[in-house]
Amino acid sequence: MTVITVNMVRGRFDQTQRRELARTLTDAVLVPEVGQLAPAARAGFQVHFCERDPDMMAIGGIVLADQDQDALVVDIAVMDGDWRQEVRTQVIERILAALTAAAGSTAPAPTWWVNFRVIEEGSWGSRGGVLSILDLLPSGVFTAEKAAAIQAAIGSPAR
C-alpha cells in the first residue's frame, strides 16, 4: 500500500495529464515494490493531486506568484519492506521520469523534489486495524524474489 501526493501550482497539469500521472506514478512505485508490473496491485495505491495557488507556494523566500518557477513536491509514503537504497533510487528516478513525460519536458526541473518515506512496521492502519506488508505477501502480486527480500528486510516470516 502506497500513497503518492503531488503538490503543485494550481493548473500545472490538466485532467488528461493527471489521468496519465495517476497510472504512471502508481507504476513507478509498484514495479520496484512488488518486483513486477502487477495490475491487481494497483488497488493498493492512491495518488493525490494537491493544487495550490501561486501565492501559497514559495521558493527561496519568494512566492511563486512573484517569480517564474515550476515547483513540484512529490511525497511517497510506503509500507515497510524491501527499500534498499538502490530500490529507493529506482523509484525516485521513475517518478521524475513520469513527471517529465507528462509535462512534455526533456528533463525534470531542479525545483521538482521527491520525498521518499517508509512507514515503520506496525504503523500503517487499514482494514480496521494495523496492516503489515507481510499480510499482503500471499496476494500473489509479489515476485518470489521480492517476497523473500521483504521478509528478510522486516525480519519476520509471512503471517
Side-chain angles (χ1 to χ4, degrees):
M1 302 192 123
T2 296
V3 179
I4 303 164
T5 305
V6 182
N7 296 285
M8 61 193 163
V9 172
R10 187 170 311 285
R12 174 61 181 93
F13 293 113
D14 64 25
Q15 187 176 48
T16 300
Q17 291 168 310
R18 288 191 307 272
R19 283 185 174 124
E20 175 188 347
L21 283 167
R23 181 185 50 77
T24 59
L25 294 174
T26 293
D27 290 347
V29 183
L30 184 151
V31 172
E33 184 170 13
V34 304
Q36 63 184 341
L37 180 58
R42 287 184 177 142
F45 287 71
Q46 293 185 19
V47 178
H48 300 191
F49 297 103
C50 299
E51 294 186 312
R52 301 185 190 324
D53 290 327
D55 65 342
M56 300 300 285
M57 296 176 73
I59 296 176
I62 302 169
V63 294
L64 296 182
D66 295 339
Q67 61 175 311
D68 186 26
Q69 292 280 355
D70 183 16
L72 286 169
V73 177
V74 180
D75 182 70
I76 305 164
V78 297
M79 298 175 87
D80 202 357
D82 175 34
W83 295 115
R84 294 165 283 133
Q85 184 58 56
E86 62 262 26
V87 179
R88 292 175 194 219
T89 298
Q90 182 183 19
V91 168
I92 291 167
E93 289 173 350
R94 291 169 61 96
I95 291 286
L96 290 167
L99 290 166
T100 301
S105 301
T106 57
T111 52
W112 295 1
W113 297 351
V114 179
N115 298 319
F116 189 99
R117 297 182 299 120
V118 177
I119 306 303
E120 179 178 302
E121 177 68 12
S123 298
W124 195 283
S126 179
R127 303 177 185 181
V130 175
L131 185 66
S132 169
I133 198 166
L134 298 172
D135 299 325
L136 304 176
L137 293 182
S139 69
V141 299
F142 296 87
T143 63
E145 296 80 14
K146 187 53 80 168
I150 290 168
Q151 288 172 343
I154 294 179
S156 173
R159 302 179 203 181

